[in-house]
């Protein structure tokens, strides 16, 4: 998932929350309902994809660390000091 998609979804969450509050204040009940649904959907997207993205990054970092440690520990076949 691209970071840009998460940023846009987070922005939509913030904007729909503000618009929903405005619709409620103006007693535009149906519009407030739809804006609340849009806010809930964008919050769900951010939560589920931000967790997945964080797990993906953690796994990638762990694999890189393991590869670096393996390269350090393994002696080279062309090493004349073995």
């Amino acid at each position: 998932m691209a970071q840009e998609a998460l940023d846009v979804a987070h922005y939509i969450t913030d904007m729909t929350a503000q618009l929903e509050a405005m619709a409620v204040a103006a007693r535009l009940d149906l519009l407030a309902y739809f804006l609340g649904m849009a806010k809930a959907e964008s919050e769900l997207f951010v939560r589920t994809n931000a967790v997945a993205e964080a797990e993906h990054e953690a796994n990638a970092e762990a694999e890189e660390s393991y590869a670096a440690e393996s390269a350090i520990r393994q002696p080279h076949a062309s090493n004349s000091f073995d």
Side-chain angles (χ1 to χ4, degrees):
M1 179 59 48
Q3 182 63 40
E4 181 181 357
L6 289 173
D7 291 342
V8 169
H10 194 275
Y11 179 76
I12 290 170
T13 300
D14 293 342
M15 293 306 299
T16 53
Q18 293 177 28
L19 292 169
E20 179 187 18
M22 292 170 60
V24 168
R27 297 184 181 157
L28 300 169
D29 298 332
L30 186 59
L31 184 56
Y33 170 77
F34 286 126
L35 288 166
M37 294 300 290
K39 179 183 72 171
E41 185 65 27
S42 61
E43 287 172 336
L44 179 63
F45 180 86
V46 169
R47 276 196 312 267
T48 57
N49 289 290
V51 169
E53 184 70 21
E55 288 174 352
H56 176 71
E57 289 176 5
N59 289 339
E61 289 176 7
E63 289 175 4
E64 289 175 9
S65 176
Y66 178 76
E69 289 176 9
S70 296
I72 292 171
R73 292 182 187 163
Q74 294 178 358
H76 295 281
S78 64
N79 191 343
S80 62
F81 297 108
D82 287 339

